[in-house]
Amino acid sequence: MVQKADKIWFDGKLVPWDEAQVHVLTHTLHYGVGVFEGIRCYACTDGGSAVFRLQEHVERLFLSAKINEMTIPFTQDQISAAIIETLKVNRLSEGYIRPLTFIGAGVMGVYPGDNPIQTIIATWPWGAYLGAEALEKGIRVKTSSFTRHHVNVMMTKAKTCGNYVNSVLAKREALADGYNEALMLDAEGYVSEATGENIFIVRKGVIKTSPLGSILSGITRESVMILAEDLGYTVVEDRFTRDELYCADEAFFTGTAAEITPIREVDRRVIGQGSRGPVTAALQDAYFKVLRGENPKYGQWLARYSF
């Protein structure tokens, strides 16, 4: 369950959590045309807090809106400032941030007409998405029977609400079968991504990740690629198949919620030694040092705040 905070930012005003409501005829509720972001903030070792890659997340929110022909009635700077304001008023030093832009009530039918474009920002405490134990021991993954969106079926570079029906179906299937997460293939059968994470494999010291085709351009994905190259690893963006994944020395998911989560098993095949590998561990260590403000080289990735 989401832990209630004191306030939610709603169209420029901070309102009590339970009063952040919409009408049942809200257009996005019926047709799924809305856009959102998942952002994390972390408590830093110096006593302050920081939002990880705030500017990039807000920029992607606006690009997602553009793709869906939605005009957000605020600037990127205003939304960034509102996120920090909401964190401060809720006194949240570490947790999750959910900006959501949606089409409000008015005209019904597929065409939304001049319905208002509304935006909320909610924040709440949230630990490891796939479980704290998973960050060390890894998770079990099943290839889904559901195919990831084709690039001409849905706009895959937009973080669109309706796109995630595909993810919900795949996630339910995987959990019902006793797995932790679902692996999605693209329309041609190549490994795409998970229900809310990008995927990496490691083979003979080379790190490979799916190219920007059917997948969402993950901000954590990009961060990990930069960190890996700075640590001396070779990183390749290239298609790969399930059998190549089965034969990997290591595999892991990345995402704002999942952070860097090792994969220990896929479709009943043990990956590598069946636990977190050394490359994954090194990347986790580097990543969390950045998040805690312990590596000044990546200080520009952190939007600092304090109460």
Side-chain angles (χ1 to χ4, degrees):
M1 295 290 291
V2 172
Q3 183 178 328
K4 284 186 181 182
D6 186 31
K7 303 285 186 180
I8 288 177
W9 189 93
F10 198 144
D11 286 343
K13 298 179 181 179
L14 288 164
V15 301
W17 180 283
D18 290 330
E19 294 179 20
Q21 300 177 0
V22 296
H23 196 276
V24 294
L25 295 184
T26 295
H27 194 276
T28 298
L29 181 62
H30 293 258
Y31 299 104
V33 182
V35 298
F36 69 97
E37 277 297 316
I39 312 172
R40 274 192 187 264
C41 59
Y42 292 88
C44 298
T45 53
D46 64 3
S49 293
V51 181
F52 183 62
R53 304 202 70 175
L54 174 61
Q55 180 180 345
E56 291 86 351
H57 279 287
V58 172
E59 180 183 27
R60 189 172 65 180
L61 178 73
F62 276 73
L63 291 175
S64 293
K66 179 180 181 180
I67 290 168
N68 283 283
E69 297 189 283
M70 302 168 67
T71 300
I72 298 175
F74 299 95
T75 66
Q76 291 188 37
D77 286 345
Q78 286 174 321
I79 294 299
S80 295
I83 288 170
I84 298 297
E85 179 186 18
T86 308
L87 289 168
K88 287 182 174 182
V89 77
N90 288 326
R91 301 193 65 79
L92 188 64
S93 60
E94 183 162 302
Y96 192 76
I97 306 154
R98 170 53 55 87
L100 167 70
T101 293
F102 60 96
I103 303 174
V107 172
M108 284 299 289
V110 172
Y111 180 65
D114 293 326
N115 290 19
I117 304 300
Q118 300 183 267
T119 301
I120 67 97
I121 299 165
T123 66
W124 62 87
W126 206 13
Y129 176 60
L130 295 168
E133 188 178 73
L135 292 174
E136 179 179 351
K137 294 185 177 180
I139 60 172
R140 299 178 65 245
V141 177
K142 174 185 177 178
T143 300
S144 179
S145 67
F146 296 96
T147 301
R148 205 55 163 157
H149 297 299
H150 185 276
V151 294
N152 206 36
V153 172
M154 296 294 285
M155 300 288 98
T156 59
K157 298 302 172 287
K159 203 167 174 65
T160 304
C161 298
N163 285 7
Y164 284 80
V165 173
N166 183 240
S167 294
V168 171
L169 292 171
K171 185 82 170 186
R172 281 178 165 171
E173 178 186 59
L175 266 60
D177 289 342
Y179 292 83
N180 306 108
E181 183 56 286
L183 175 70
M184 314 288 289
L185 306 181
D186 67 20
E188 296 179 71
Y190 290 92
V191 173
S192 178
E193 57 187 348
T195 61
E197 305 91 10
N198 296 122
I199 186 170
F200 289 76
I201 62 173
V202 183
R203 177 69 173 167
K204 297 182 178 180
V206 175
I207 301 172
K208 183 183 288 189
T209 190
S210 304
L212 295 178
S214 62
I215 73 170
L216 183 72
S217 181
I219 291 168
T220 306
R221 171 185 180 272
E222 180 196 39
S223 303
V224 168
M225 292 171 69
I226 292 169
L227 287 171
E229 289 179 341
D230 286 352
L231 289 172
Y233 295 107
T234 299
V235 182
V236 178
E237 294 179 84
D238 196 11
R239 283 175 152 186
F240 58 93
T241 55
R242 274 184 291 171
D243 44 10
E244 187 173 353
L245 169 58
Y246 298 155
C247 297
D249 299 323
E250 301 177 43
F252 57 89
F253 287 135
T254 64
T256 295
E259 299 165 320
I260 301 176
T261 299
I263 301 168
R264 71 172 188 266
E265 180 184 322
V266 180
D267 299 337
R268 303 185 309 278
R269 280 87 163 177
V270 173
I271 303 302
Q273 299 302 310
S275 60
R276 178 178 58 185
V279 175
T280 306
L283 289 170
Q284 282 182 330
D285 181 64
Y287 182 69
F288 282 106
K289 282 181 177 176
V290 171
L291 299 179
R292 304 298 180 194
E294 297 172 6
N295 190 336
K297 180 177 179 179
Y298 306 97
Q300 75 278 7
W301 285 355
L302 303 179
R304 298 278 196 156
Y305 68 97
S306 58
F307 306 129

